[in-house]
């Protein structure tokens, strides 16, 4: 049962990563061609709804067994090491915007200083920048409150009732309370962990949605493409590192 | 969502639409727009140029860069589609040059500023302040035009610009933002200080005292991180760089490592000198007071604070003082703009680059956009506000440049247009 859960989770994740690759090539095509804003918007809508579906499905699966989502065996060590409540830190999406907007500015600055009029320096307009800034502050606030709740949940493990059961266990953990009690306590804890994972996922989805709203369709396509690229690269680099260090999954 | 996208898109088309693949054509589109403007503005400019009336001249100076014979303009408007790059490169410097001269001329001719001129002399400004790569926002910015009310010495009022970069927590910077201009105002009206130096000196001292009393009093409710718990509260402070702009002077008072830079005829002139603990005179002062500067990730007072002056920071007194250094600069016709910013900018952008960027933004924003024919998707700004837009463009571009250069701090930038006739 447990093994099949895990392989189901892993399979679903692999499907998702495959979809990322497909979407990335779609996005790349859209940026290279002269796609209209309407077409770009519908592509963005499609990708966002995929994201939403993935989140929903993942929530359902996590409700069955949440622990692997906090330390997924289907990810490389590198990916696992940077997880925040089972995924990407939502505030890091804003860092990605800043990174992308920076790439252009520096290369165009000299041109600009020589009097060439440029409309797209860094692309982000004043209004967009202030909206991104506001979103960043809001996201960080929400991240903090979730982190604090996670801290409490982690501390709970070494408190009543779980710690008491462990202490009462005779010897190396063979017994201690009825196994039913232990299971019930761990399940209860798992429910709280699932709830926090769901909220983290909601924050991730909400942040991306908000970003897409702030950006123009073309900018949003660039942003989504870059996000997927980073994601896929991390997977690839992580796998390579695992191999290099003799960790075979 | 799509609706929202479009809405943002419409408003932002001008600055945000062109992306890499289409930047050339986008630029061409912009040129079309600008060139197109030449036709209506040109006729507006012609009369004052001929009459050479001083007062009228001031009024129309805002549209001066279109000083090209109508014939040429018309041609440019028609031809820009074909040879966009050429038009762009060859016309622009040509445009900029006459503008500069024109800007200098009226001021040289103008007799002492009359009351009427003064009334128009409210500087335009732009401000950007972002959290950037920090997870806490500790910068604060205060802008108050005509902040000192009706002062007999300055009927047109004076204008206040302040940038505060907090450390430890945000509450001292926030307090400076809320109170500094009022303290300066009181000091100007009732303090009876004989000089700007004295006025600003007293104001900074009062500000510092107020922060100290406020924290120890604990009577207030603060939304900040530390929630004003002493003793953490004692280890909180803020830089303060304050510029008071009068019709003929720029008074900059500084405490800490934020900075004010004047852009005069393309040259960057710093109006403040950062208070770093390893500045020889500051190092001396600290040592004479019995303090030490220890290198711990850069020079720090007692190995803690990386600046030698600040508002707040009670625990580092008397080594860290709140006394400002004040510079009083006469405004000239060659002054272009004033840039105030926190070290989030200055850590990664030189004074010269900052001036270059701000100046290009101010220049490229002229002429102000006149009413256009329908069908143009460029965002329409009210003509009178276009210079403001230019200042905002400058402050935002500088902020983006700081982020692009991986500034790891909060970034706050204020750009004040000092061109007399703008």
């Amino acid at each position: 049962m447990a093994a099949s859960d895990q392989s189901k989770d892993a399979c679903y994740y692999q499907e998702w990563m495959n979809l990322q690759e497909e979407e990335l090539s779609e996005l790349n095509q859209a940026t290279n061609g002269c796609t209209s804003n309407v077409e770009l918007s519908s592509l963005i809508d499609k990708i966002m709804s995929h994201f939403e579906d993935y989140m929903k499905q993942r929530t359902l699966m996590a409700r069955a067994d949440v622990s692997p989502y906090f330390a997924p065996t289907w990810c490389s060590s590198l990916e696992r090491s940077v997880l925040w409540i089972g995924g990407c830190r939502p505030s890091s999406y804003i860092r990605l915007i800043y990174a992308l907007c920076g790439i252009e500015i520096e290369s165009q600055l000299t041109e600009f200083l020589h009097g060439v009029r440029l409309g797209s320096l860094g692309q982000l307009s004043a209004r967009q920048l202030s909206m991104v800034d506001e979103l960043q502050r809001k996201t960080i606030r929400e991240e903090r409150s979730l982190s604090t709740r996670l801290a409490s949940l982690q501390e709970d493990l070494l408190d009543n009732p779980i710690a008491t059961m462990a202490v009462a266990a005779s010897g190396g953990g063979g017994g201690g309370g009825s196994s039913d009690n232990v299971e019930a306590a761990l399940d209860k804890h798992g429910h709280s962990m699932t709830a926090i994972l769901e909220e983290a996922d909601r924050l991730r989805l909400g942040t991306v949605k908000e970003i897409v709203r702030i950006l123009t369709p073309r900018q949003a396509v660039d942003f989504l493409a870059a996000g997927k690229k980073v994601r896929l690269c991390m997977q690839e680099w992580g796998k390579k590192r695992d191999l290099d260090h003799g960790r075979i999954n | 969502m799509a609706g929202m996208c479009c809405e943002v898109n419409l408003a932002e088309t001008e600055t945000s639409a062109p992306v890499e693949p289409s930047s050339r054509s986008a630029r061409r589109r912009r040129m079309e727009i600008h060139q197109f403007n030449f036709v209506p503005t040109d006729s507006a400019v012609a009369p004052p140029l001929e009459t050479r009336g001083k007062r009228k001249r001031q009024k129309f100076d805002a549209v001066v860069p279109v000083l090209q014979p109508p014939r040429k303009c018309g041609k440019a408007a028609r031809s820009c589609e074909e040879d966009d790059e050429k038009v762009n490169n060859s016309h622009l410097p040509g445009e900029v040059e006459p503008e500069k001269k024109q800007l200098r001329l009226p001021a040289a001719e103008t007799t002492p500023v009359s009351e009427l001129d003064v009334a128009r002399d409210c500087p335009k400004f732009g401000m950007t302040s972002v959290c950037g790569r920090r997870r806490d926002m500790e910068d604060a910015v205060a802008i108050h035009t005509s902040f000192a009310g009706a002062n007999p010495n300055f009927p047109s009022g004076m204008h206040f610009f302040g940038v505060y970069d907090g450390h430890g927590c945000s509450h001292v910077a926030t307090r400076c933002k809320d109170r500094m201009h009022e303290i300066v105002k009181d000091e100007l009206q009732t303090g009876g200080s004989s000089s700007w130096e004295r006025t600003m000196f007293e104001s900074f001292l009062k500000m510092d005292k107020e922060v100290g009393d406020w924290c120890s009093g604990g009577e207030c409710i603060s939304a900040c991180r530390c929630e004003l718990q002493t003793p953490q509260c004692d280890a909180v402070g803020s830089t303060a760089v304050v510029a008071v702009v009068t019709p003929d002077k720029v008074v900059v008072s500084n405490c800490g490592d934020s900075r004010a830079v004047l852009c005069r005829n393309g040259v960057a002139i710093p109006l403040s000198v950062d208070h770093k603990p390893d500045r020889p005179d500051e190092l001396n002062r600290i040592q004479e007071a019995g303090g030490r500067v220890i290198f711990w990730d850069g020079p720090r007072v007692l190995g803690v604070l990386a600046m030698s002056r600040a508002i707040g920071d009670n625990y580092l007194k008397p080594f860290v003082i709140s006394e400002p250094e004040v510079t009083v600069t006469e405004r000239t016709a060659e002054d272009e703009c004033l840039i105030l910013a926190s070290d989030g900018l200055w850590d990664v952008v030189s004074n010269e680059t900052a001036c270059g960027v701000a100046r290009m933004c101010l220049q490229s924003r002229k002429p102000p956009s006149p009413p256009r024919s329908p069908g143009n998707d460029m965002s329409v700004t009210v003509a009178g506000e276009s210079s403001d837009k230019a200042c905002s463009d400058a402050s935002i571009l500088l902020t983006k440049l700081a982020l692009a250069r991986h500034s790891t701090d909060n970034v706050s930038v204020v750009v004040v247009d000092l061109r007399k006739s703008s």
Side-chain angles (χ1 to χ4, degrees):
Chain A
M1 165 79 191
S4 85
D5 265 0
Q6 187 170 335
S7 64
K8 220 166 76 190
D9 293 338
C11 271
Y12 188 58
Y13 178 75
Q14 198 44 54
E15 267 174 44
W16 170 245
M17 291 309 280
N18 292 343
L19 181 63
Q20 296 311 291
E21 264 179 83
E22 282 168 34
E23 286 180 349
L24 178 60
S25 72
E26 264 187 273
L27 287 162
N28 281 339
Q29 260 172 0
T31 31
N32 293 335
C34 33
T35 322
S36 75
N37 272 354
V38 180
E39 285 170 288
L40 292 179
S41 290
S42 77
L43 175 60
I44 293 163
D45 285 350
K46 187 178 92 183
I47 285 171
M48 290 308 292
S49 84
H50 286 167
F51 190 28
E52 207 162 345
D53 292 345
Y54 170 70
M55 291 287 191
K56 270 186 202 146
Q57 186 58 36
R58 173 177 133 110
T59 301
L60 289 180
M61 293 164 76
R63 279 182 192 157
D65 181 22
V66 69
S67 307
Y69 285 88
F70 280 82
T73 46
W74 49 84
C75 287
S76 64
S77 309
L78 174 68
E79 291 166 283
R80 279 201 298 270
S81 69
V82 293
L83 286 187
W84 175 83
I85 317 194
C88 204
R89 225 178 226 287
S91 58
S92 56
Y93 301 144
I94 283 131
R95 287 289 203 95
L96 180 60
I97 299 181
Y98 286 155
L100 292 175
C101 126
I103 293 169
E104 272 207 4
I105 292 190
E106 197 66 51
S107 61
Q108 296 180 349
L109 187 68
T110 329
E111 239 183 323
F112 178 75
L113 289 179
H114 283 95
V116 180
R117 266 175 224 214
L118 292 169
S120 67
L121 262 167
Q123 299 179 42
L124 276 193
S125 73
R127 200 166 121 215
Q128 287 177 316
L129 184 60
S130 83
M131 286 164 93
V132 166
D133 183 55
E134 202 177 306
L135 176 64
Q136 181 188 23
R137 295 190 210 186
K138 190 181 118 214
T139 308
I140 287 175
R141 266 200 308 277
E142 289 176 27
E143 260 181 34
R144 279 203 176 124
S145 104
L146 283 177
S147 289
T148 310
R149 280 178 47 198
L150 178 66
S152 297
L153 280 177
Q154 290 171 333
E155 288 167 3
D156 281 349
L157 270 189
L158 279 93
D159 200 342
N160 278 330
I162 296 172
T164 333
M165 290 180 205
V167 172
S170 52
S178 75
S179 70
D180 282 355
N181 284 348
V182 172
E183 281 304 309
L186 290 179
D187 279 348
K188 193 171 170 232
H189 188 264
H191 285 316
S192 309
M193 294 290 276
T194 313
I196 209 168
L197 178 68
E198 283 175 38
E199 280 195 52
D201 277 352
R202 245 199 307 279
L203 183 58
R204 279 185 272 268
L205 181 65
T207 309
V208 179
K209 274 186 173 171
E210 199 61 42
I211 289 172
V212 165
R213 248 197 292 270
I214 293 170
L215 301 180
T216 65
R218 196 159 283 281
Q219 291 171 330
V221 164
D222 286 345
F223 169 78
L224 291 172
K228 292 184 193 304
K229 218 164 178 181
V230 173
R231 189 72 199 76
L232 290 163
C233 281
M234 289 289 281
Q235 188 187 38
E236 197 186 312
W237 299 338
K239 275 184 185 162
K240 183 177 175 297
R241 295 201 143 213
D242 278 346
L243 279 178
D244 290 351
H245 290 270
R247 288 184 297 259
I248 298 150
N249 232 333
Chain B
M1 192 175 78
M4 290 291 287
C5 274
C6 289
E7 198 186 332
V8 171
N9 196 15
L10 264 182
E12 307 297 350
T13 313
E14 185 201 359
T15 40
S16 60
V19 267
E20 324 93 293
S22 63
S23 75
R24 181 167 289 211
S25 63
R27 203 178 301 154
R28 187 196 311 144
R29 238 183 296 126
R30 284 173 58 79
M31 278 310 291
E32 273 178 65
I33 291 161
H34 284 283
Q35 299 288 1
F36 183 69
N37 290 347
F38 285 4
V39 185
T41 18
D42 204 66
S43 58
V45 159
L49 277 180
E50 278 155 28
T51 56
R52 300 220 144 225
K54 281 171 208 161
R55 186 126 312 149
K56 273 184 195 157
R57 184 60 160 289
Q58 277 217 324
K59 192 172 157 201
F60 283 102
D61 256 352
V63 281
V64 156
V66 288
L67 278 182
Q68 283 164 352
R71 188 172 35 84
K72 200 175 167 189
C73 286
K75 203 169 114 199
R78 275 195 304 277
S79 65
C80 66
E81 185 132 6
E82 292 103 60
D83 51 359
D84 58 318
E85 289 298 320
K86 256 183 277 164
V87 169
N88 212 346
N89 285 325
S90 60
H91 282 227
L92 250 153
E95 261 170 40
V96 170
E97 275 314 306
E99 176 191 1
K100 228 164 51 191
K101 279 178 202 132
Q102 286 302 330
L103 275 172
R104 224 177 287 137
L105 269 173
E109 290 167 7
T110 313
T111 38
V113 204
S114 75
E115 250 186 65
L116 222 139
D117 289 327
V118 160
R120 268 193 234 117
D121 197 40
C122 185
K124 287 162 178 169
F125 58 86
M127 186 274 276
T128 309
S129 182
V130 298
C131 212
R133 290 189 176 82
R134 267 278 165 92
R135 286 177 73 80
D136 292 296
M137 183 58 171
E138 294 178 342
D139 277 9
V141 177
I143 296 175
H144 300 276
T145 53
S146 306
F147 79 109
N151 184 309
N153 297 325
F154 302 101
S156 72
M158 294 168 279
H159 314 291
F160 182 99
F161 304 91
V163 169
Y164 312 103
D165 177 359
H167 48 260
C169 185
S170 60
H171 66 258
V172 173
T174 312
R175 190 73 175 167
C176 287
K177 172 191 169 178
D178 293 342
R179 287 286 298 144
M180 182 73 99
H181 64 285
E182 291 178 358
I183 293 173
V184 174
K185 178 187 168 183
D186 287 349
E187 199 57 37
L188 280 168
Q189 288 174 342
T190 58
S193 304
S194 51
S195 66
W196 274 112
E197 284 82 353
R198 201 70 220 156
T199 304
M200 297 313 296
F201 175 83
E202 293 293 339
S203 303
F204 273 56
L205 245 51
K206 279 184 186 162
M207 185 72 243
D208 183 62
K209 188 168 179 306
E210 215 179 281
V211 166
D213 294 349
W214 183 57
C215 284
S216 55
E219 86 282 3
C220 55
I221 300 134
S222 173
C224 62
R225 203 158 20 108
C226 78
E227 292 167 334
L228 295 180
Q229 304 274 316
T230 41
Q232 297 97 303
C233 190
D234 251 11
V236 174
S238 175
T239 72
V241 63
V242 167
V244 175
V245 176
T246 79
D248 55 352
K249 285 187 180 64
V250 178
V251 182
V252 168
S253 319
N254 179 54
C255 190
D257 60 2
S258 298
R259 193 184 307 155
V261 175
L262 174 71
C263 180
R264 178 176 283 174
N265 199 16
V267 180
I269 304 170
L271 298 187
S272 66
V273 184
D274 302 357
H275 292 126
K276 287 289 185 189
D278 59 344
R279 212 177 96 176
D281 52 343
E282 289 292 283
L283 182 62
N284 250 333
R285 183 182 60 70
I286 292 163
Q287 283 171 344
E288 272 169 25
R292 290 183 62 195
V293 172
I294 301 165
F295 279 74
W296 182 270
D297 184 24
R300 289 164 188 272
V301 179
L302 303 189
V304 184
L305 188 64
M307 66 189 79
S308 58
R309 301 191 192 195
I311 308 282
D313 289 304
N314 265 323
Y315 73 125
L316 289 176
K317 289 200 162 77
F319 319 124
V320 170
I321 58 172
S322 61
E323 185 183 314
E325 282 188 301
V326 182
T327 59
V328 180
T329 310
E330 293 291 331
R331 288 176 64 179
T332 72
E334 290 179 332
D335 293 352
E336 285 158 308
C337 63
L338 176 68
I339 305 170
L340 302 183
S342 59
D343 62 348
L345 176 75
W346 302 121
D347 279 352
V348 291
V349 178
S350 70
N351 295 354
E352 290 70 26
T353 307
C355 274
V357 169
R359 164 165 211 258
M360 284 315 295
C361 286
L362 293 192
Q363 288 176 353
S364 65
R365 263 290 157 185
K366 292 186 150 203
S369 23
R372 260 181 304 279
S373 58
N376 193 328
D377 67 351
M378 196 170 123
S379 75
V380 178
T381 45
V382 184
E385 286 171 1
S386 66
S387 185
D388 241 339
K389 178 88 171 75
C391 290
S392 300
D393 282 354
S395 68
I396 192 187
L397 186 48
L398 287 171
T399 304
K400 287 195 289 185
L401 183 59
L403 290 172
R405 294 190 173 174
H406 216 87
S407 172
T408 50
D409 209 342
N410 303 144
V411 185
S412 298
V413 184
V414 175
V415 175
V416 185
D417 191 342
L418 291 179
R419 294 172 300 178
K420 287 275 187 177
S421 52
S422 63

